[in-house]
Amino acid sequence: MRLSRSAKFVLAALSIATLAFIYLPLGVVVINSFNASKNMSWPPQNFTLHWWQVASQSSGMLSALATSVVVATASAAVALLLGTLLALAMSRYKFFGKQPVSLMVILPIALPGIVTGIALNNAFRTLLGIKLTIVTLIVAHATFCIVTVYNNALARLNRMNRNMEEASADLGAGIWTTFRLVTLPQMASALVAGALLAFALSFDEIIVTTFTAGGGVETLPIWILNNMFRPGKAPIVDVVAVVVVLISVLPIFFAQRLTAAEKSS
Amino acid sequence: MAENTPAISLRGLTKSFGSVTAVSNLDLDIKSGEFFSMLGPSGSGKTTVLRMIAGFELATSGQVFLDGEDVSAKAPFDRNVNTVFQDYALFPHMTVLENVAYGLRVRGVGKAERNAQALEALETVRLGEFGGRKPSELSGGQRQRVALARAIIVKPKVLLLDEPLGALDLKLREQMQIELKELQRELAITFIFVTHDQEEALTLSDRIAVFNQGKIEQIGTPRELYEHPKTPFVAGFVGTTNIFEADEAKSLFGKSIKASIRPERVEIVKGKSSNTHMGRVIEAIYVGSATRVHIKLDAGPKITALVQSGSTVDESWHRDQEVQVALNEKDLVVLETK
């Protein structure tokens, strides 16, 4: 499609404005994490690493960070296992209720977090009679993390040449050997990408977390929420916010690179 | 094992997909060391038969014998046959050498040993230099040869080839045909070759089975099929031909039979005699080595004559030109009517 010069100009301006609207506030947070003023006066007069130092020594923040990493890693691992198996079943077999199952797996990502949160909270405490702990939190996160792994794995499996698995069997490999040497290596980058997205999804989740984390289990986003309006904490919250953004963005960046590399090869 | 045990025997082989019968009650023996082709249009069941021999599909009923042993219920990895796939199905994440060594790897052969054998197999197909490359870095013809090397390294009793030359251009295809034939002679193993290209089948095969609608219409050597087709389908599918319905044959030969005559046996002659028929040229198509002359005979039927370039009657025919066509009864092939 050819566009006139003025149309191009208008589109470019709109795109820049939209991106600026999204990223400038984030930029302010990053700059504020170095703002020497205690009450975040704008524009900053002086810059300092003081808040980063304070944050790095805050034991509450560090333990929340550790909790978040553990939860995100564990729920990504659960999602990786279940999502992969599910994708294999969907792409390789026909069975009763296949379409509904597929829909039900994808649905949790679209369900409002507050609904999922309340429902799981009820299920854990009332129906199952389990105390809320870090384990219930991991299970809760895994419910929507599965989707990213499942979608990535399924797309890859559907693009894969089925003859390759037949060729492997033909050359003498059993089912497990074929999976290990032929299917899995070709799925690997899609699985890593899916798991990284799952990690990012879990890492900054807050709504479901508030309903399913046990007492004393504090993830980093929850820590931010709890500390945001406390006197004198704002600069440290900015520092933590920058850390959260970095930890969430990096996996997505790598996941994109992985999928892009796969497509060009 | 007896000397004359067939490499492959199919008995009452039937495959249905739902209500569609792809292969119906097939009996076939393929001799050891034979270059055997299964020829037919797409959907005629030839590939399904191949997949049942390989073990990718299980027969609805009937049996597959490999060297006299019933393998009907065995998985592909338990059958001593290997397949060269139409799209080659090379493993994209492995190098060419790893691809070729795969069959040995899954049999637990050590790395040094299997790589040495893989290199040898690659040299057989003249790709010794290419072991370190990825399949994506090879041309279609080279991939084809890698697929061959990968299949023959495990020394199968029978090699199954599913339209292996279909994706190659004409020149390369002709070259690969020669190489395949040489390879088969060298390895002395049975080749079962699936193709829809009758010329390819005629060129390569010791024997050919012509498939139509899930059944074998005729089995024979290339010469038998071409010279003595038994059914209208075989006559029309193997080479081109003139087919006469019973009433048309009666007007030309005085016999009420369904029959065919090859265009190269139809002669255009100068003088009139007892076996000549008058006709008019509809169209003459010059194809270099010959000219295809389509003629409407005054007796009714249309007929095609193939006239070799440089023959005494060769000329530039024009539409509606009057010609004398000689038909010899000895060239007439009687076809079965169902």
Side-chain angles (χ1 to χ4, degrees):
Chain A
M1 190 173 63
R2 291 186 71 99
L3 293 172
S4 69
R5 274 184 72 139
S6 52
K8 273 186 194 163
F9 178 79
V10 170
L11 281 176
L14 277 173
S15 307
I16 290 169
T18 310
L19 289 174
F21 187 75
I22 298 170
Y23 287 100
L24 280 182
L26 274 177
V28 170
V29 171
V30 175
I31 292 168
N32 264 343
S33 74
F34 299 101
N35 192 339
S37 152
K38 202 169 182 171
N39 44 17
M40 304 284 105
S41 65
W42 190 265
Q45 305 301 314
N46 285 303
F47 293 98
T48 175
L49 284 174
H50 176 69
W51 308 121
W52 284 80
Q53 209 175 0
V54 174
S56 71
Q57 283 157 358
S58 154
S59 61
M61 192 283 286
L62 288 177
S63 105
L65 177 64
T67 305
S68 271
V69 170
V70 167
V71 170
T73 308
S75 47
V78 172
L80 188 62
L81 184 69
L82 296 182
T84 307
L85 292 176
L86 207 63
L88 281 168
M90 286 295 172
S91 74
R92 296 297 186 250
Y93 300 99
K94 284 184 185 148
F95 52 89
F96 179 74
K98 188 171 166 173
Q99 290 314 315
V101 168
S102 173
L103 184 68
M104 282 193 284
V105 171
I106 298 173
L107 210 54
I109 198 105
L111 284 177
I114 191 136
V115 176
T116 311
I118 292 170
L120 284 172
N121 180 291
N122 250 322
F124 285 135
R125 295 189 326 151
T126 322
L127 292 176
L128 297 170
I130 319 174
K131 264 183 70 183
L132 295 181
T133 58
I134 194 167
V135 177
T136 54
L137 178 59
I138 290 167
V139 171
H141 278 197
T143 60
F144 54 82
C145 283
I146 288 180
V147 182
T148 63
V149 177
Y150 169 73
N151 275 344
N152 270 294
L154 190 64
R156 179 64 54 85
L157 281 170
N158 286 343
R159 270 198 318 166
M160 231 160 97
N161 183 352
R162 290 292 302 275
N163 280 350
M164 256 176 248
E165 285 163 9
E166 290 187 343
S168 170
D170 191 59
L171 290 162
I175 293 167
W176 174 243
T177 310
T178 295
F179 178 73
R180 190 167 56 88
L181 296 181
V182 175
T183 316
L184 192 59
Q186 292 187 71
M187 287 176 78
S189 62
L191 293 184
V192 172
L196 286 171
L197 291 173
F199 181 94
L201 213 56
S202 161
F203 192 81
D204 56 19
E205 211 289 332
I206 189 156
I207 304 171
V208 175
T209 311
T210 54
F211 286 96
T212 52
V217 178
E218 194 179 44
T219 63
L220 208 52
I222 302 278
W223 183 90
I224 294 177
L225 192 67
N226 291 343
N227 285 274
M228 226 163 96
F229 303 111
R230 287 198 189 161
K233 286 280 193 175
I236 300 171
V237 168
D238 279 334
V239 170
V240 177
V242 173
V243 173
V244 173
V245 168
L246 281 180
I247 297 182
S248 311
V249 166
L250 285 179
I252 290 174
F253 172 74
F254 285 119
Q256 270 221 335
R257 290 255 318 238
L258 271 176
T259 7
E262 202 61 34
K263 270 174 194 149
S264 67
S265 78
Chain B
M1 178 188 64
E3 181 72 3
N4 50 8
T5 307
I8 295 281
S9 286
L10 309 179
R11 289 291 172 269
L13 202 64
T14 299
K15 178 73 188 180
S16 308
F17 297 100
S19 61
V20 182
T21 306
V23 176
S24 116
N25 200 21
L26 201 82
D27 293 319
L28 179 63
D29 286 321
I30 297 169
K31 288 177 217 140
S32 190
E34 198 170 22
F35 198 122
F36 191 90
S37 289
M38 303 204 282
L39 173 68
S42 59
S44 59
K46 58 194 193 304
T47 296
T48 308
V49 172
L50 196 80
R51 290 176 60 80
M52 284 192 279
I53 296 173
F56 302 137
E57 306 277 358
L58 290 180
T60 309
S61 63
Q63 289 150 302
V64 177
F65 295 90
L66 173 61
D67 240 348
E69 181 201 355
D70 186 352
V71 295
S72 311
K74 285 194 168 175
F77 47 82
D78 281 330
R79 298 184 186 198
N80 198 3
V81 297
N82 284 103
T83 310
V84 175
F85 292 84
Q86 186 169 12
D87 59 5
Y88 319 136
L90 299 176
F91 307 129
H93 57 292
M94 297 183 195
T95 64
V96 166
L97 194 73
E98 285 167 339
N99 261 284
V100 177
Y102 187 83
L104 299 176
R105 180 178 176 189
V106 300
R107 281 168 176 74
V109 177
K111 193 165 186 173
E113 170 63 19
R114 69 178 190 245
N115 281 353
Q117 284 193 44
L119 191 62
E120 205 176 305
L122 276 176
E123 274 159 7
T124 314
V125 296
R126 298 188 291 109
L127 282 177
E129 318 271 288
F130 294 81
R133 299 216 192 162
K134 285 281 172 73
S136 58
E137 295 165 327
L138 301 183
S139 72
Q142 290 168 333
R143 282 180 213 186
Q144 163 72 74
R145 296 215 287 264
V146 174
L148 268 171
R150 185 177 68 174
I152 59 176
I153 200 169
V154 290
K155 304 192 167 57
K157 287 218 171 73
V158 177
L159 189 67
L160 307 173
L161 302 109
D162 184 9
E163 307 236 4
L165 309 180
L168 305 179
D169 61 50
L170 186 66
K171 270 271 177 287
L172 200 54
R173 200 155 70 218
E174 285 170 352
Q175 188 196 331
M176 281 306 296
Q177 286 174 2
I178 297 165
E179 285 186 27
L180 268 183
K181 192 80 186 163
E182 275 174 8
L183 190 69
Q184 195 249 348
R185 226 170 274 139
E186 208 174 299
L187 300 170
I189 56 179
T190 312
F191 274 36
I192 302 180
F193 188 89
V194 163
T195 182
H196 62 264
D197 182 339
Q198 50 96 15
E199 211 176 301
E200 196 163 271
L202 291 178
T203 314
L204 290 170
S205 321
D206 295 323
R207 284 197 308 154
I208 301 170
V210 181
F211 278 71
N212 185 29
Q213 297 180 341
K215 290 185 172 156
I216 294 178
E217 289 261 333
Q218 189 175 351
I219 301 177
T221 63
R223 182 174 287 274
E224 281 165 4
L225 290 180
Y226 191 81
E227 306 279 346
H228 306 289
K230 281 190 181 139
T231 66
F233 179 82
V234 175
F237 197 77
V238 180
T240 53
T241 197
N242 298 293
I243 294 181
F244 302 115
E245 296 301 327
D247 54 330
E248 294 175 324
K250 192 162 172 56
S251 70
L252 295 174
F253 306 98
K255 286 182 183 171
S256 194
I257 44 160
K258 187 159 185 164
S260 102
I261 188 165
R262 295 285 178 194
E264 63 270 24
R265 300 294 169 102
V266 176
E267 286 179 80
I268 293 179
V269 291
K270 300 271 183 206
K272 204 174 153 77
S273 66
S274 65
N275 66 346
T276 59
H277 302 266
M278 184 74 132
R280 284 170 193 277
V281 173
I282 302 170
E283 196 177 15
I285 300 163
Y286 176 70
V287 294
S289 62
T291 305
R292 298 180 137 327
V293 190
H294 299 282
I295 299 159
K296 171 97 169 80
L297 296 176
D298 291 352
K302 288 177 187 165
I303 196 166
T304 302
L306 190 72
V307 181
Q308 292 300 315
S309 298
S311 84
T312 52
V313 294
D314 189 19
E315 60 175 290
S316 295
W317 287 275
H318 59 83
R319 194 175 159 79
D320 282 338
Q321 182 177 345
E322 285 198 344
V323 287
Q324 290 286 346
V325 177
L327 299 173
N328 299 311
E329 217 180 309
K330 69 169 173 58
D331 296 326
L332 202 64
V333 178
V334 179
L335 302 174
E336 285 168 7
T337 43
K338 284 178 197 165

